[in-house]
Amino acid sequence: MTKRYLICFSGELTNFKLPELESIAKIYNIDIKYDKSAWDNVDTDNDSPFLYIEVNSEEDIVKIAKRSILIRHIYEIFSEGIEFKELLNGLNSNYTTEYLSDYLIGKTFKFEVEAYGRKHSQKQKLSIMEEFNDTPLWVNGTACMKPKPEQMENHIRWFAIEDWGRLGKDIRKRFFGKRICDGGRETIIKFNLTDRGYLGTTTMDPELSLISANMALVNKGDMMLDPFVGTGSFLYVSAHYGAYVIGCDIDMKQMKKQEDLNLETNFEQYKLTDQFLGIVLSDNSIPTWRMNNTFDQIITDPPYGIRAGAKRVGPKDNRKDVVIPLELQRDHIPQYVDYSVPEVMKDLLLLAAKTLKVGGRLVYWLPCSATDFKISELPTHPCLRLLYHQCYQGLSLKWGRRLITMEKHLEYQEASDDQLGQLNPQHANLRSIVHPKIQDNNNKQSLN
Amino acid sequence: MKILTYNMMSCSKKQCVGKGHPLKLDCTESQTLTQDFQLEFIKNMIPRLDWDGIRAVAPMFNINLGDNIEGQLENEEFLKNLFKLVVNTKIIKGKLTCPSCNREYFIENGIPNMLLREDEIYQDIKE
């Protein structure tokens, strides 16, 4: 028999919550059932942070919640309705008087009110609680505001929960039940950027890094790669979840700015040094990995050239046919040329197709326009299957970024150019989305 | 970089794909780490390892894996030695050489420089 629980999600990043939930269930191999129409309501004013989920046991839902970054709380609901009367009638008809009155024998409890979309004063909360006077629940049990840790096993946290919608206009639903556990949001605090030693301008914030690791199914004993590692945000969170991690970057300064403050010292700060396999100075257009099903996941935020153009090693026109003398070869700093975004994407997917294990995931961030996004603009590879593209985070009214999740579902095979997708993609010229004015000026100049 | 990372690597040159490994390792400075043995992880890594590379570097760090590697994959003593080699050995300074084209890559401060020079890329395009 399955058990039904109510999830209360974080109100932010609403279109990440279902992909994250499904990914975590996959990590632990837990069967979940929920109303799939929830996918259609995401990111509208009508969106609700509440979702019923069916699992096989309380143990399963606690496991999922502890790992989840977007789950705030898990409740077992005893009754629901729009009016208090309906709620109370439901409670008294769903359960026998005997069951309810015996429920709290030998237990302590606390009764709290939580509202989504509204903020209640203490007085309003009290009056909401008083609506529940007419139930046999309160016959037994002792109220306890601050239970000691050893009391927690027999302590029940009752909640009257209200859903007023995102805009807080009308009451949509009231629930009454007990809180089972909280989600894993305190992990975000561990990776708080203000406490992190070594940072850069493009460091990904910890909440999004952790969600990316969940989407990539990072698990204990995995081997994870970030081919554009920068300051290492994805490495720390993946190591936190038990993976062994490797980073590559074309820019040594990014990885090792100072002797006493760098990517490696961050690992020491988080006590994750054991999980750190090393960093490699490498250009992703000429990757250094032998072809093998080496990595369990690749998680990355590729360079897109919004602030500074992406670069790869290559000769500019003035250095073609110039051979570097033998004695200068060792310490030669190579010349870089522009690395266009479609090329960056093509090389990233090729790397994933070659080096991921079958069933392994590629998770990457892609800037895109807020208004017109087409799946056909994404890069494709016959060995990789698109799983989620819905995870969109708005950064301004005009543009934002998407977390793209792909799975390697076939052993590597060569792909022809027409299988690689991204025909005339908007990300070919991201600056035109982010800075439309600059683009207009350029156009005018070229017309002149 | 740990030996495990080194084991996954190959020459960066496009013409060396499939034959640019195992890279020949000359290690002038290394460090031995003390992480506890992780059985699940090492078992997970076994199908991904390049055994020619493992055989070549084990004696450099005085780790004896025996002659018959394939026959010992269930032997815990062997797996512990393997873990010591691939996870608890860190290369700080040295050189990697491609067995196919003899290109040398240098390792400084534990970071291998696998970048090619622009003239090598240009040669590659011309070929």
Side-chain angles (χ1 to χ4, degrees):
Chain A
M1 211 188 82
T2 58
K3 288 192 85 174
R4 195 166 82 135
Y5 295 94
L6 184 73
I7 300 178
C8 175
F9 285 101
S10 156
E12 304 297 316
L13 299 169
T14 48
N15 37 31
F16 289 69
K17 64 192 186 187
L18 296 172
E20 196 211 25
L21 178 68
E22 293 201 338
S23 299
I24 294 171
K26 196 173 164 72
I27 294 173
Y28 296 123
N29 215 353
I30 292 172
D31 286 328
I32 56 169
K33 274 193 221 115
Y34 62 90
D35 180 6
K36 299 279 178 194
S37 70
W39 283 84
D40 306 330
N41 298 328
V42 164
D43 208 29
T44 61
D45 288 342
N46 198 28
D47 174 54
S48 164
F50 298 103
L51 178 75
Y52 275 117
I53 178 172
E54 278 177 53
V55 290
N56 288 319
S57 67
E58 187 172 313
E59 196 188 335
D60 281 356
I61 194 66
V62 171
K63 232 172 164 177
I64 290 177
K66 290 290 164 215
R67 175 77 191 247
S68 171
I69 298 305
L70 292 171
I71 291 178
R72 278 192 187 281
H73 310 292
I74 302 285
Y75 300 96
E76 184 182 337
I77 295 303
F78 281 58
S79 175
E80 63 170 80
I82 292 173
E83 297 306 322
F84 285 114
K85 211 172 166 192
E86 206 182 334
L87 202 68
L88 211 57
N89 286 344
L91 183 63
N92 290 328
S93 63
N94 290 350
Y95 303 94
T96 62
T97 310
E98 199 182 7
Y99 179 84
L100 290 177
S101 59
D102 288 355
Y103 198 84
L104 287 171
I105 290 180
K107 295 196 171 101
T108 57
F109 71 88
K110 186 176 177 184
F111 190 12
E112 293 162 75
V113 174
E114 191 151 286
Y116 172 71
R118 283 266 168 114
K119 202 163 167 57
H120 289 311
S121 67
Q122 200 53 37
K123 205 173 155 195
Q124 283 166 319
K125 284 183 182 176
L126 273 174
S127 77
I128 290 168
M129 289 186 221
E130 275 162 15
E131 299 277 353
F132 291 87
N133 279 347
D134 273 348
T135 124
L137 258 181
W138 320 118
V139 175
N140 285 296
T142 333
C144 175
M145 292 299 122
K146 282 183 182 155
K148 298 189 179 82
E150 64 269 23
Q151 285 178 297
M152 285 312 289
E153 205 181 323
N154 287 314
H155 183 74
I156 301 207
R157 292 181 73 183
W158 296 109
F159 274 85
I161 306 151
E162 297 187 337
D163 180 4
W164 289 85
R166 184 179 286 270
L167 304 173
K169 268 196 214 142
D170 304 301
I171 182 78
R172 294 198 302 194
K173 199 59 141 305
R174 288 189 165 92
F175 304 93
F176 175 79
K178 64 172 187 178
R179 188 178 283 180
I180 301 293
C181 67
D182 297 329
R185 292 184 67 78
E186 81 273 12
T187 320
I188 301 171
I189 298 162
K190 177 176 176 185
F191 293 99
N192 222 335
L193 295 186
T194 49
D195 305 326
R196 190 178 296 177
Y198 175 54
L199 286 172
T201 47
T202 54
T203 300
M204 176 77 55
D205 86 71
E207 180 172 16
L208 296 172
S209 306
L210 286 158
I211 293 169
S212 309
N214 282 341
M215 300 290 292
L217 313 179
V218 174
N219 209 351
K220 198 167 185 280
D222 282 353
M223 183 144 64
M224 172 271 185
L225 172 74
D226 181 351
F228 303 101
V229 70
T231 57
S233 303
F234 297 122
L235 299 194
Y236 315 128
V237 295
S238 300
H240 169 77
Y241 288 134
Y244 285 73
V245 299
I246 302 178
C248 289
D249 211 293
I250 193 171
D251 185 1
M252 178 72 93
K253 276 179 290 183
Q254 280 281 324
M255 302 188 283
K256 220 173 167 98
K257 209 168 229 165
Q258 300 164 22
E259 211 44 57
D260 57 345
L261 198 63
N262 53 48
L263 217 136
E264 208 164 347
T265 57
N266 276 354
F267 274 96
E268 286 160 19
Q269 180 190 342
Y270 293 129
K271 299 191 170 56
L272 291 169
T273 309
D274 281 349
Q275 309 294 114
F276 179 47
L277 291 176
I279 41 180
V280 178
L281 189 60
S282 161
D283 174 353
N284 204 46
S285 68
I286 35 167
T288 181
W289 309 108
R290 65 188 160 87
M291 196 171 83
N292 187 19
N293 297 353
T294 303
F295 302 108
D296 294 279
Q297 50 274 128
I298 294 176
I299 310 175
T300 198
D301 182 19
Y304 292 112
I306 292 173
R307 291 206 186 108
K311 298 285 180 198
R312 65 175 178 82
V313 175
K316 289 184 182 155
D317 284 343
N318 65 342
R319 288 196 69 89
K320 282 183 179 164
D321 283 324
V322 177
V323 176
I324 294 148
L326 198 62
E327 67 275 17
L328 295 177
Q329 285 185 357
R330 184 180 161 167
D331 292 321
H332 177 71
I333 294 169
Q335 193 169 40
Y336 296 121
V337 293
D338 288 342
Y339 195 13
S340 78
V341 181
E343 274 183 295
V344 172
M345 310 308 298
K346 188 178 140 190
D347 288 340
L348 176 64
L349 264 65
L350 188 62
L351 176 78
K354 282 182 173 173
T355 65
L356 278 178
K357 69 169 185 187
V358 174
R361 285 191 178 181
L362 165 67
V363 172
Y364 68 91
W365 287 87
L366 178 69
C368 43
S369 151
T371 43
D372 54 329
F373 168 77
K374 297 182 212 76
I375 293 180
S376 62
E377 294 191 336
L378 292 174
T380 55
H381 190 284
C383 302
L384 302 172
R385 192 160 65 96
L386 178 66
L387 296 180
Y388 305 110
H389 66 274
Q390 297 85 351
C391 308
Y392 175 78
Q393 182 205 20
L395 293 169
S396 82
L397 287 176
K398 289 203 181 73
W399 73 289
R401 53 187 173 182
R402 248 163 230 281
L403 184 64
I404 309 290
T405 305
M406 301 184 95
E407 178 190 63
K408 177 168 169 182
H409 67 127
L410 292 172
E411 287 288 354
Y412 177 71
Q413 59 192 66
E414 295 267 343
S416 59
D417 275 351
D418 59 342
Q419 289 178 297
L420 301 179
Q422 57 178 0
L423 298 162
N424 193 23
Q426 47 174 268
H427 57 250
N429 189 355
L430 282 167
R431 289 180 75 88
S432 68
I433 305 172
V434 181
H435 306 294
K437 278 184 188 157
I438 295 176
Q439 188 60 21
D440 288 350
N441 288 341
N442 286 349
N443 284 345
K444 270 179 210 156
Q445 276 165 9
S446 63
L447 284 173
N448 292 341
Chain B
M1 122 182 115
K2 296 183 179 177
I3 294 288
L4 183 58
T5 315
Y6 150 78
N7 191 269
M8 301 302 168
M9 284 161 49
S10 145
C11 179
S12 296
K13 287 195 176 180
K14 287 220 162 74
Q15 68 263 33
C16 295
V17 168
K19 47 189 182 179
H21 67 87
L23 294 159
K24 184 175 165 287
L25 172 67
D26 293 294
C27 182
T28 51
E29 191 186 335
S30 68
Q31 193 186 345
T32 304
L33 308 170
T34 54
Q35 191 189 353
D36 291 340
F37 179 55
Q38 306 284 327
L39 179 68
E40 284 307 310
F41 177 64
I42 201 74
K43 279 196 160 172
N44 222 353
M45 288 306 115
I46 277 177
R48 310 179 192 190
L49 292 172
D50 174 11
W51 293 107
D52 289 337
I54 296 288
R55 274 190 207 97
V57 298
M60 292 181 201
F61 302 97
N62 297 321
I63 291 172
N64 183 10
L65 295 174
D67 300 326
N68 173 20
I69 282 180
E70 281 75 12
Q72 303 187 80
L73 299 180
E74 295 295 318
N75 175 356
E76 191 160 315
E77 200 48 43
F78 168 82
L79 294 176
K80 279 185 176 163
N81 278 329
L82 186 62
F83 185 82
K84 195 174 163 198
L85 177 67
V86 300
V87 180
N88 275 337
T89 310
K90 195 168 151 188
I91 312 165
I92 307 289
K93 202 168 178 168
K95 186 173 81 172
L96 301 168
T97 310
C98 173
S100 170
C101 70
N102 290 322
R103 166 66 152 100
E104 292 179 338
Y105 299 92
F106 292 90
I107 307 165
E108 301 272 355
N109 298 319
I111 306 175
N113 179 352
M114 302 306 289
L115 297 177
L116 299 176
R117 304 183 310 272
E118 70 274 15
D119 59 336
E120 291 171 297
I121 306 235
Y122 191 57
Q123 284 161 13
D124 201 39
I125 297 167
K126 282 206 300 188
E127 276 160 27

